[in-house]
Structure formats: C-alpha cells, structure tokens
Amino acid sequence: MNKRILALALLLAMGTGLSAQVTEKPGFGKYALVGATIHTVTDGTIENGTVLVNGETIEFVGANGQVPAGYQRLDLTGKHIWPGMIDAGTVLGLMEVDAVPVTVDSDELGDFNPHMRAFTAINPAAVAIPVNRVEGVTTVISQPGSGIISGMATLIDLFGYSPDSMAVVADAALVLQFPTKGRRFGGFFFFGPPQTEEQIEEAYRNRIKSLNEYIAKARFYDGMMDAYEAAPAGKRRPDRDPAMEAMRPVVDGTIPVMIQVDREPDIIAALDWIKTQEGLRFILSGVSEGWRVADRIAAAGVPVVTGPVIGMPTRDYDVYSRPYENAGLMAKAGVMVALRTDDSENVRNLPFNAGMAVANGMTHADALKAVTINPATMFGAADRLGSVSVGKQANLVVTNGDLFETMTQVEHVFIRGRKIPLVSRHEELWREYRDRDATTN
Amino acid sequence: MNKYLLLTFALAAGSVAAQPTGSVLVRNATVITVTDGTLEDTDILVVNGKIAGIGRDLPARAGVQEIDATGKFVLPGIIDAHSHLALASVNDASSPVTGEMDMRDVVDAEDIGMYRALAGGVTAIHSMHGSANVIGARGATLKLHYGQPAEVLLMPNAPRTIKFALGENPTRVHGQGSGVQPRTRMGVEQVIRAEFDGARDYRRARTAYLEAQRAWERNRRRGPAPEPVAIDGRKEVMADILEGKILVHCHSYRADEILMLMRVFNEYGVKNYTFQHANEAFKVAPELARNGANASVFADWWAYKFEVYYSTSYNAAILNRYGVNTSINSDSEDYIRHLNHQAAKVVRYGGASQEDALRMITINPAIQLGIGDRTGSITVGKDADFAIWNAHPLSIYAMAEMTFVDGVKRFDRAADRADQRLRVNPTDSFTPGTFATEHGRHEDACMEGVFELFATETHSHE
C-alpha cells in the first residue's frame, strides 16, 4: 500500500518534471512575412517583399506588401528570407553518438544492400535534429555508407514525429560506393602489408565484376516481374526478392544512383562505367578531386554532390586551397553542384562551407543554388523544395544578414509551414548555464 | 643520418640556432591590435622581428620593404593552443604516465600542415602529446618558421608544458585496452595523486641527498658518503609541475572530472593550468573562474563520443561571461586553417563581442602557453607575428594573404606554389590521391597512433 502511494507520487513527480521540459510547439497557420529581402533563388531577389505562408505551402511571393486578413504578420524589415538549406549528404538521424556503435545505424553488413533504407532507421527524436535545423538547414539527405551498394538514401525535412512525416522523398537515391583503384591506407603495418599495383587492380576488377553482375541480375529480375505483372494470368508468380525489388525503380531510372567517389582515377572510371549502364540515372557524390576532371564531368552531364568544402587537400602536394575551390571550379565548368557536409551533428556548418566556396571563387549565386534548388532537383523534389516560390513547401529561413556569414543570426525557421521554435539542447544549456547559481556547487 | 639524431647532437653540442627575424613596414591597414582596439589607416613597423612602431604615416626606413595594406586587415598571428602538427609521433601509450617524454624531441620540421596553417594566418602552435595517458609527454611550443629545422621552430624560452588527460581516452586505452588502472574516472584521480605524492617525496629525498652530498664534499669527504638518491626523469617532471615550473594542459570533457582536477591541484598547490576541449566547462564556469583556470575549447564540436554528448556550442560564450580566459583551438590539421571562422561562431552562439572572439585565437591562447607577454597582440616590443587578411578575419569570406612570423614572411598567397612540400618522402606511396577522408570530428585526433592497439580488439564485451 505504502509502496503504491510512493510509486504514484514518484510517477506524478516525474510527470511534472517532464512537462516542464516539453519543447515549445511550432506555430502553424497563416503567416505574412513582410518587408524582407527575398532571395527566391529561381526568380531573382525581391527587395521589401512579402511572402505569404498558408498551412504547409507558400501562397504568395512578391513585392506587393498587401496582407490579407487572418494572417499573422511578421515585420521583417531589414531581414532576409532564403529557402531552407538542403544538405545533400549526411548521416543525420542515423547516428546519435559516433563512437558508441549501438547508436550508429548507417552501416549494415554485406556488400549489396539496395533494400536497406535510411528512411527506416531515421530517429525523429535525435538530439542533433533541432540543433541543426535552428541554424537554417531544413532538409537533408541522410544516407547509409557500407559495402558496395549501401542502401537507399532518404530526403527528409528536419521536423516531424516519424520518418513518414519527415520524408520528402523516402527513397531518394541508391548509394553506391564505387570500387576504388586507390589504397585507402598507405601500407601501415597494422592494416597488413602494402598492396601491390596488381593486387589493387585485381581487387578493383573483382568488385566491378560483382557490381555489374548484380545490376544485370536486377535488370533480369525487373524484366521478369514486368512480364509477369503485365500478364499474370496462368503464370506462376516469380519468387519475390526484397533486394531485387529495391533495385527495380533503380534499373528503370526512377531512383538515381548516387556514386560515392573521390579520387581522380576513380571519377574517370566511374564516368566510363556510367556509359555502360543505360537507363539508369546517376549522381556523383564526394568528388574531392572533381576539379581535376571538371570538364569531363560537365561533358558527361552528371550532377555532383561535393563537400565538405572545409576539408583537407587530397594530396600532400596540392595547394592548401584546393578543397575550398573544388565546388566552384566544377560549377564554373558547367557541372550542376550541390554541397554536403558529410556530417551528422554539425550539419549546421553547411552555410559556412558555402561561404568558404564563395571566398575561393564560386559565385554567391552558384553557392546558394548548391544548398537549395540544385539538391532539390537532383533528388526529385524541385516541385516542393529549393526556392521561395508559390506552391512550394514553406521551408524558409529568415536571417539578419548574409546566409553564409558565420556571425549572421537565424531569426525564424519554417519547415512545411511550421514556425519552428528556435530551441535545441545547445540553446537550452546556454539558457540554463549562462547565469548559473554559482553558490550551489 | 636521421634528422632526429642530428637534432640531438645539435642540442647536445649546446648550439642554439639563431632565430630568424625580419623587418617590414606595413602601410595603411586596419590594425586589429586585439589588446588595444582597432586602428584605421595604420602602419606597423617591424625591425628585426619585433614590432617597433604602430601609427599613422610612419617614416620609411632604408632597406625595409613596404607593403601596401590599404583596405586590408592585420590580425595578430593566430595561436593554436591544441595541435598535433609537426610531430613524428603523437601518443606513447605504453604507460598511463609518460611525463619523462618530451614532444620537443620528435618535432617533424617537414610537416606540410604547418604551411597550410600559415595559410590560415597561424603563427604559433602548441604541439602536444595525445590523450592516451593520464599524464602524457611535455609539449612543444612552435613558431611556424616553415622551412627551418626543428630547433628553429621551437620557440626559445617558451615555458614548459605537459599534457594530462582525463575521462574516456585514458580509461579506454589503459583500463579497457590493457587491463591496468585507470579503468574509471576514480582511477584517473588516483593515478595523478600517486604521481604527485611520489614526486613530492622524491624531491624532498633528492634535495636532502644533494645537500648532504654538497656538505660532505665541503667537509672534504670525511665520514661515510650520504646514500645516493638516483635521479628520476619522470619524478623530476612531476615535481616541477608541483613547483609551478611546467604548465599543465589537461584534455578533459566532463564537468565532474574538471572539478576533480581543480580539487587535486588546489590540494597540491598547482596553479596556472588550462583545460583542453573542456566541452562541459560551461557547467562549472564559476568554479573555473574562481580558480583562475583557463579553458581551450572547440567552437562547436560535440556528440562524436559519449562524453561530449551533453555539450553546447555556447560553451565559449558562457565561459567568457564568467571571465574565464578562453581560447578556441583546432586539435586538427584541418580546422587550424580557419580558426578565425571558428572564433566567429562564438559571436554567433552566445553573442560574445567580436573583440573577445578574436582574443580567443590570439592573446588568450598565448597567455595559456605562457607567451602572452611576447606574442598574441599587435603591441610595440612584441614579436612581429601577424597576418594580413583581405577582409575582416571574422568574415567567412576572409582569406589570409600574407603571414609573418618574427617579421619573416612565411606565407604569401600571391607567391604560393602548388607544391609547398619541403621534401618528397621516397617511402610515400606514389598512388595519386591515396587518402582516407575523415570529415568533421568523428574520431579523437588526440588518439592518433593509439588505434593500432585496438586493431584486434573485438566489441563482444560492450
């Protein structure tokens, strides 16, 4: 009896403790964002403009300041409105603490895992999600990273209580770790003896061969299923294979293949290999040495996800600024470029990566596209994301200055029309400890 | 002959290499002195490596090159209080205590990383032992005279420093990896206390012996000679820490372990120390301030391991509010190249002033290394360590154009060659682009050289 009362009291105490921590709910409804400079990305810049948000959607964008009745007005004179930024390569939501393996869900076992879906393992309650969205990154590609075919990357908005409600494109790209001709580690004793050139070449050939066979098998499976589905009458249904099922929208070109590739010889090999794979769509990702072969990439017409811009030169003898210049040099050559941080907890550094690219030759306009409309286009979401345009999802960032400047403050974030409270663990710790009672130590 | 052997001989011979110095007159810059405000249209005269004059329209000097810096910004050379650049090895994880070792013995003068750091406006670094051991080796304070031999890189008369490490790394390496204490944060405390107690006893005994020996010598060696107390290199270092002759830089993350070390230090009288990383320092900022402790932190790194899960990018801003002398460090060959951007994050997260943010990469780390009277600000009489930037250094668009160390131009963007290596190592792989990219901070840089210990480790016990 006493125990029960105690337990009840405990429960109540816990309940009140928790309720004090419940995060402020986002606002939702009709908003009029008035007076800001609107960086539409696809339709130029509008000074002293108005954006109307109705529900999840952008309803109006223009210079006309008329605000209909029923809209909550935000006076944004002197502020800037940008599309929510899209990070085109992260593991956000798949990883909580990198060094604690049980919290890392990005790398499944096995070489061929097209049926492994990042979408499945996205943790909507990951602590890093609010930490990053309050800095203006509203959408990310979160991607698996093991084996040869790692699985499906997912394009998610950084707000929601389930992967289903966060997903913009649940299966946005098939991630392929392109077989490399390089040594990953230069023969340190603990990784075994250094490989010979012949061994490297052989390993490369074997991996390419198994990849080609896998895709050939998938094409066969797709054809077989297509034939059956077109005329099932009187036929036995072929055995279903989940991995092969996952390959069907890939081999018919619906879902693009995102090839992870960095080194110059590997990029060249990947571009050659792409030519042998008719009907499939491709994106290159990583592409650290893309500047060396920018013209070839442009000629192939393959879009590129690259980053982090803030990274090390790939070769000891490269000039220090190459990684900063890489994205800009590819864009200049005519490649469609999107940026990524390749990060999880610090995806919020995306704008600074863009800024660093601008400081090293990329135009501001190209860099802005690389974090908005370009990734939206690559991943099949250009009708919903990537610009401040009527009819698109209201993913918006309001700042007091240049989006890419470190010292700029993010003042409002909208994701699918939800006005996101600018609250995160980092900000909560700031509020708790900036004026800590110093007598209770 | 091996370059380290050469260095050893050079030091043994007592030869001290002359410090390179230069003279230059920088014209019409916006000079961010850091300690004395920002001066528009100002000249800086450097004579023989020292700042000799700051002002408008300084008279030209015969033989001194002039640089027109109109529209440019001059910032004191950035100082990184936490680096592992220019070291031939980083961790010796053979024991939880390796204070007898010295990173100054393993300086690698050919590390291209130094050139890349110069390109980010850095002029001095604190290259430390890793964090595998509770008490690691002593550190090396280097001026980035890239192209000069190791003995020239070592900043003359810089105070000695030593690396301590608390928390996950030493308990993982020694307790979990090798089955020796410490396995816990309890054990870490006792490793330190045992060393300090042993050092105190040792110094007392050794000092008494030396005095007795001198008295015996004075007494013409009459009577039995005093029983010798052998010199012990490790205990000498520990005793010097207790006597304030070596500055402690302690790798730490959690608030509890930071409090633990301050408790121990107060008991043994150790002062003037710096917590490195210190992701949870913000939780004990009043205690740090009360003890006069320094903090050298990241701008925004967190969640790469469990002990940094409860971190905040507002750490530096909170420490700054409480008056803790705080620096922003890199612990990275990558981030050392743009510490100015990292400093700008202290303005973004928590609204520190731009002046305070810039102090965190210049004078504050200099103070933490005990060289604040010689570098870290644009001040007459100080070493001429500075960089010329093409925009305000807290802007994401700012790039360093020239970097001067002791008045010598060590980086010039306009004269930059594609290949800035000093020497091509014939044992390097010739495969183009042999690399393993590791972005962000996914592993502890300070665990470099340790992970081979775990190459065969299984995770079955986790």
Side-chain angles (χ1 to χ4, degrees), chain A residues 96 98-99 135 183 263 310-311 317 319 342 345-346 348 360 402 405 408-409 425-426 435-436 441, chain B residues 283 287 300 302 304 309 312 321-322 337-338 345 348 395-397 413 416 418 431-433 439 442:
Chain A
E96 196 68 25
D98 192 6
E135 302 302 332
R183 298 180 177 86
R263 303 165 60 254
I310 298 176
Y317 52 82
V319 67
D342 196 19
E345 66 273 8
N346 275 343
R348 57 185 168 178
N360 289 273
D402 183 348
E405 274 288 11
T408 291
Q409 296 289 307
R425 174 181 285 169
H426 288 209
D435 297 311
R436 206 202 83 189
N441 59 324
Chain B
K283 294 181 178 173
E287 289 78 5
D300 62 358
W302 70 293
Y304 47 90
Y309 190 45
T312 173
R321 280 168 73 96
Y322 281 96
R337 302 173 308 147
H338 26 77
K345 289 176 182 172
R348 184 182 181 96
S395 166
I396 192 72
Y397 304 120
R413 201 179 186 199
D416 194 58
T431 312
H439 303 313
H442 292 311

Side-chain angles (χ1 to χ4, degrees), chain A residues 131-153:
Chain A
V131 169
N132 287 294
R133 74 180 173 213
V134 300
E135 302 302 332
V137 180
T138 59
T139 310
V140 301
I141 283 285
S142 194
Q143 64 186 79
S146 58
I148 296 174
I149 289 180
S150 312
M152 290 289 178

Side-chain angles (χ1 to χ4, degrees), chain B residues 227-381:
Chain B
E227 182 144 351
V229 175
I231 193 161
D232 182 317
R234 181 184 297 180
K235 287 194 168 76
E236 286 287 336
V237 170
M238 297 304 138
D240 282 352
I241 295 171
L242 296 178
E243 290 179 11
K245 295 173 182 165
I246 300 178
L247 304 174
V248 176
H249 282 255
C250 184
H251 164 112
S252 52
Y253 288 111
R254 262 172 38 184
D256 54 278
E257 64 195 19
I258 290 170
L259 288 174
M260 175 278 284
L261 195 68
M262 289 199 289
R263 217 177 286 128
V264 171
F265 278 177
N266 282 340
E267 218 173 293
Y268 289 85
V270 177
K271 293 184 175 65
N272 207 4
Y273 44 88
T274 301
F275 287 100
Q276 289 285 347
H277 307 322
N279 277 47
E280 288 192 359
F282 69 95
K283 294 181 178 173
V284 290
E287 289 78 5
L288 287 161
R290 198 178 308 144
N291 284 302
N294 302 281
S296 181
V297 304
F298 299 131
D300 62 358
W301 279 344
W302 70 293
Y304 47 90
K305 60 198 303 202
F306 190 71
E307 60 190 346
V308 293
Y309 190 45
Y310 295 89
S311 320
T312 173
S313 46
Y314 295 79
N315 191 21
I318 295 173
L319 291 165
N320 196 46
R321 280 168 73 96
Y322 281 96
V324 177
N325 181 57
T326 303
S327 67
I328 302 293
N329 70 53
S330 81
D331 188 15
S332 155
E333 59 173 351
D334 180 353
Y335 275 63
I336 193 172
R337 302 173 308 147
H338 26 77
L339 277 169
N340 53 315
H341 297 160
Q342 296 301 95
K345 289 176 182 172
V346 186
V347 181
R348 184 182 181 96
Y349 304 119
S353 69
Q354 295 190 15
E355 291 71 24
D356 282 356
L358 289 171
R359 291 179 70 96
M360 290 185 195
I361 52 173
T362 54
I363 188 67
N364 291 4
I367 291 167
Q368 293 170 351
L369 300 176
I371 55 174
D373 55 338
R374 293 161 61 188
T375 185
S377 65
I378 305 292
T379 306
V380 171

